[in-house]
Amino acid sequence: MRNSVTRYLIFFQYTGTKYCGVMKIPADRAVQGVGNHLESAVGKLKPVNKFSVVISSRTDSGVHALCNSAHVDIQRSGDKPPLPEHVLVDALNFHLKEEAIRTLDINAMQEAASLLLGTHDFSTFRASSADMHLKNPVKTLDQIQLEPGVSFSQRHFYRDVRFWELTFKSRSFLYKQVRRMTGALVAVGHGRLSVSQMQELLEARDSRAFPTTMTAPAHGLFLTRVQYSDTDLGTCVLDEQLFK
């Protein structure tokens, strides 16, 4: 005698960076939804019924979730009893571990970052703009710092999700210079760009040499502070007095 179908309510979380959203999409697409991976994990439990994971809340491409929910109906073969809650959770987590985000090569990123420190012609790392001919492409990059960061959401994740912070410090930046440097360094970390190729980009001194698809999106980008030297502040006071 077969067991009846048992319905389970599942709570799950995800970083949505590499997914096209939470909903399941056709399997022939290059980028999958979170739902595809959930259903794949349930399938590995070998239910005898035809099932589908019904997700409660839709999220768009790239959106993360600290807690989403879904339900699924599972029927086990023969006279096997329904799966206990903790067994279902452990089993699904085991099969979903394969979808962990690939770790960056931090050493390679730090080596590439060191090439950008100091005074250089950063023409390659600026995007075209109407006033670019008025801007001196020579800038001095005083600091590039790559270190583990802490996201406000990190304490809510039940797995070790690594966040990395890139900090750039300079008196001024060119248009999209920070986003291009960030994108290039991430490409190095993922092995899509070598350290020597980073050097070649810098030496090219040509904005057209930079792959436009490598520019980091304006996500997670912060202006942290603006600093003034005593000389800067003194000049401001003097200018103010002149206009009185």
Side-chain angles (χ1 to χ4, degrees):
M1 179 177 180
R2 288 187 176 274
N3 288 315
S4 60
V5 174
T6 302
R7 175 163 291 183
Y8 297 89
L9 176 63
I10 302 169
F11 294 95
F12 60 102
Q13 57 185 198
Y14 48 89
T15 52
T17 304
K18 67 175 185 176
Y19 300 110
C20 67
V22 70
M23 306 306 292
K24 179 183 176 182
I25 65 168
D28 59 350
R29 301 286 181 85
V31 180
Q32 298 289 286
V34 175
N36 293 77
H37 299 285
L38 278 175
E39 288 206 352
S40 176
V42 172
K44 291 175 181 177
L45 304 181
K46 302 187 183 305
V48 297
N49 61 309
K50 184 177 181 180
F51 68 90
S52 63
V53 176
V54 182
I55 298 173
S56 66
S57 299
R58 180 187 295 269
T59 55
D60 294 332
S61 179
V63 176
H64 317 304
L66 295 179
C67 184
N68 203 340
S69 64
H71 73 263
V72 62
D73 296 333
I74 296 177
Q75 182 180 11
R76 304 188 73 194
S77 62
D79 58 354
K80 292 179 181 178
L83 288 167
E85 294 176 6
H86 70 280
V87 173
L88 178 67
V89 170
D90 290 344
L92 290 179
N93 281 335
F94 175 80
H95 292 303
L96 289 170
K97 281 183 180 178
E98 298 175 357
E99 290 303 316
I101 295 176
R102 183 161 57 96
T103 303
L104 293 171
D105 185 343
I106 301 302
N107 291 333
M109 292 178 70
Q110 290 174 333
E111 184 180 353
S114 67
L115 300 175
L116 303 177
L117 277 173
T119 303
H120 304 281
D121 183 330
F122 283 99
S123 293
T124 301
F125 293 91
R126 70 174 173 183
S128 298
S129 62
D131 62 347
M132 66 181 296
H133 64 286
L134 301 175
K135 304 291 186 180
N136 186 349
V138 177
K139 299 291 180 183
T140 299
L141 197 57
D142 299 314
Q143 178 188 23
I144 302 181
Q145 185 171 307
L146 175 63
E147 60 183 357
V150 178
S151 165
F152 79 95
S153 61
Q154 196 164 6
R155 65 182 182 273
H156 298 288
F157 282 105
Y158 288 88
R159 288 184 181 162
D160 182 20
V161 180
R162 300 297 299 273
F163 293 86
W164 290 93
E165 289 183 357
L166 266 171
T167 302
F168 300 93
K169 182 178 180 181
S170 177
R171 183 174 179 84
S172 62
F173 294 99
L174 298 168
Y175 180 52
K176 292 191 178 179
Q177 180 186 347
V178 170
R179 288 174 58 186
R180 284 195 170 197
M181 291 189 298
T182 299
L185 290 173
V186 171
V188 170
H190 282 151
R192 300 194 305 269
L193 189 73
S194 67
V195 175
S196 61
Q197 287 174 318
M198 174 72 90
Q199 181 70 52
E200 292 170 2
L201 283 176
L202 181 63
E203 293 175 352
R205 302 183 186 89
D206 185 352
S207 63
R208 296 168 296 181
F210 191 90
T212 55
T213 56
M214 197 180 291
T215 303
H219 300 161
L221 184 66
F222 292 84
L223 172 64
T224 56
R225 62 187 176 275
V226 178
Q227 295 175 300
Y228 294 92
S229 66
D230 291 339
T231 304
D232 293 329
L233 294 174
T235 302
C236 291
V237 172
L238 177 60
D239 289 344
E240 183 181 354
Q241 291 174 345
L242 290 174
F243 283 99
K244 286 183 178 178

